[in-house]
Amino acid sequence: MVTPDEFKWTDVPSLPAGAKLAVIEGPLNEAVPFTIRVKLPANYQIPAHWHPAIEHVTVISGTFNMGTGDKLDRSKTKALSAGSVAIMQPKTNHFGWTKKATIVQVHGVGPWAINYVNPADDPRKK
């Protein structure tokens, strides 16, 4: 059992600067179930990317705008408010953005990875 004030938030090297991650269950690099929370600041964008495993996203607070495709296109997103859920199949190109601070919970089975459609978007390569 854990309450939100007990989460340990850290920077996320695989996402653009500004996002914070709290691991609830893991580790992310093993073939076991994981659950994480991700804090996204206002006016934040995650470029098109995919994951090797299924991704279950639940919006905890705020609104997460999500879409599918090879590049971020705000006109092709759905606004997911608190309580909304998105399930992305493995290797499905998708992207997201926020207008205001938002928290999402992601769970699945690892190992977990994020692969950018355009390698130039990968913050680990900058």
Side-chain angles (χ1 to χ4, degrees):
M1 289 183 250
V2 63
T3 58
D5 61 312
E6 296 172 306
F7 292 157
K8 292 179 175 66
W9 296 96
T10 61
D11 291 332
V12 190
S14 60
L15 290 176
K20 297 284 187 186
L21 172 95
V23 177
I24 297 170
E25 173 187 29
L28 301 176
N29 62 347
E30 294 181 14
V32 296
F34 71 88
T35 305
I36 59 175
R37 291 250 174 119
V38 184
K39 277 187 193 179
L40 306 170
N43 303 309
Y44 188 80
Q45 296 188 139
I46 302 172
H49 62 281
W50 57 274
H51 308 287
I54 194 166
E55 175 186 45
H56 301 86
V57 178
T58 303
V59 180
I60 302 297
S61 65
T63 300
F64 189 50
N65 300 279
M66 241 178 130
T68 58
D70 295 339
K71 64 186 253 184
L72 193 148
D73 182 344
R74 288 178 177 233
S75 72
K76 295 181 179 175
T77 58
K78 181 170 186 158
L80 303 172
S81 58
S84 299
V85 174
I87 301 172
M88 304 307 298
Q89 295 302 314
K91 299 184 180 177
T92 300
N93 292 346
H94 60 286
F95 48 85
W97 59 277
T98 66
K99 281 187 184 176
K100 61 182 179 178
T102 297
I103 298 176
V104 298
Q105 181 165 298
V106 178
H107 74 274
V109 176
W112 190 245
I114 182 168
N115 302 288
Y116 288 91
V117 174
N118 178 355
D121 289 333
D122 191 335
R124 296 164 293 193
K125 297 181 179 180
K126 294 184 179 183

